[in-house]
């Protein structure tokens, strides 16, 4: 696993080879098996291949045009209904004080990282995109306002081999016994 962790890069340039459906399913299977608080599994995934829909999503993501070279987007959505059931009106956005939002964001992010690492294992490139607002993304995909779009994963075969971006040294981030 450390190989995939070390070799993964954010890929922002893809070639035009399409991604096999079995590989997409394997990525989603790796997401399905992620851990979550109280095993609530708040995640949902929308697989988008339509050029028109991808254009709308890229435009809503601050017009990041590089996204369009990816043949597939996986839109990763957290559903608060695993924690707040019933008919209580919950409208989620970036400023929402709803405390369960933190939990579903945390859990869905774990499942997204599973996708990124399994994609690396399958020879696929990915990039996590989160530079958008809920109000702009949700209507494009008919996502209700009690769901939160955590990120869009662009997916495809890489057409670039970026160098590793720097990370902090271990000694900057490790503490023993206390802070
Ligand atoms: C939550 C999150 C949001 C991100 N949003 C974007 C984005 O909108 N556009 C983009 O080009 N990269 C985005 N990235 C990719 C980061 O820039 C990238 O992970 C970071 O620079 C480290 O590079 P690496 O992934 O190649 O190691 C995002 C990454 C994360 C984890």
């Amino acid at each position: 696993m450390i190989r995939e962790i070390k070799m993964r890069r954010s890929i922002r340039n893809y070639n035009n080879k399409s991604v096999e459906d079995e590989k997409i399913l394997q990525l989603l299977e790796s997401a399905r098996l992620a851990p979550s608080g109280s095993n609530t599994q708040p995640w949902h995934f929308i697989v988008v291949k339509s050029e028109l829909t991808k254009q709308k999503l890229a435009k809503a993501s601050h017009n990041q045009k590089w996204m369009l070279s990816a043949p597939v987007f996986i839109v990763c959505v957290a559903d608060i209904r695993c924690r707040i059931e019933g008919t209580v009106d919950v409208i989620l956005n970036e400023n929402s004080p709803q405390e369960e939002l933190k939990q579903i964001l945390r859990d869905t992010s774990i499942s997204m990282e599973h996708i990124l690492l399994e994609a690396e294992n399958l020879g696929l490139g990915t990039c996590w995109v989160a530079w958008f607002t809920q109000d702009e993304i949700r209507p494009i995909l008919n996502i209700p306002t009690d769901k939160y779009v955590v990120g869009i994963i662009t997916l495809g075969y890489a057409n670039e081999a970026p160098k590793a971006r720097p990370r902090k040294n271990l000694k900057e981030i490790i503490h023993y016994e206390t802070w």
Side-chain angles (χ1 to χ4, degrees):
M1 184 51 84
I2 196 71
R3 190 205 74 83
E4 283 77 13
I5 291 170
K6 283 187 171 168
M7 297 309 292
R8 186 209 54 80
R9 303 280 183 274
S10 288
I11 297 298
R12 300 183 181 85
N13 186 355
Y14 300 85
N15 68 33
N16 54 15
K17 183 173 184 244
S18 59
V19 180
E20 300 85 342
D21 284 338
E22 316 83 70
K23 291 194 177 176
I24 296 173
L25 267 186
Q26 185 158 331
L27 298 178
L28 298 175
E29 174 68 356
S30 76
R32 187 180 74 85
L33 297 172
S36 58
S38 303
N39 202 20
T40 41
Q41 307 166 59
W43 42 70
H44 288 253
F45 304 95
I46 305 175
V47 178
V48 176
K49 296 182 185 175
S50 149
E51 285 304 323
L52 183 60
T53 311
K54 285 195 297 163
Q55 279 168 17
K56 290 179 187 171
L57 291 168
K59 191 162 178 231
S61 303
H62 277 80
N63 212 14
Q64 296 187 68
K65 291 203 170 63
W66 64 264
M67 292 172 68
L68 292 173
S69 70
V72 183
F73 291 0
I74 302 178
V75 182
C76 306
V77 183
D79 187 1
I80 207 158
R81 292 298 169 188
C82 65
R83 291 196 175 262
I84 303 176
E85 288 176 16
T87 53
V88 187
D89 210 12
V90 188
I91 298 177
L92 300 175
N93 59 41
E94 284 73 12
N95 306 312
S96 172
Q98 202 77 45
E99 72 183 75
E100 293 85 354
L101 177 58
K102 295 176 199 160
Q103 298 168 315
I104 63 168
L105 288 176
R106 174 198 61 200
D107 293 339
T108 304
S109 298
I110 297 170
S111 75
M112 291 176 67
E113 183 64 6
H114 277 205
I115 293 177
L116 264 49
L117 293 177
E118 182 58 17
E120 177 63 33
N121 177 47
L122 294 175
L124 287 158
T126 55
C127 187
W128 185 319
V129 173
W131 195 16
F132 50 70
T133 65
Q134 299 301 306
D135 286 349
E136 285 171 308
I137 290 287
R138 270 196 294 238
I140 299 170
L141 301 167
N142 296 321
I143 300 171
T145 53
D146 60 349
K147 324 288 177 223
Y148 196 100
V149 182
V150 183
I152 300 171
I153 296 175
T154 56
L155 176 69
Y157 287 93
N159 199 29
E160 62 173 355
K163 281 196 294 200
R165 299 211 61 205
R167 293 296 192 271
K168 294 176 182 174
N169 293 318
L170 273 182
K171 63 176 185 286
E172 292 178 82
I173 59 172
I174 297 181
H175 307 249
Y176 288 103
E177 311 299 348
T178 62
W179 175 256

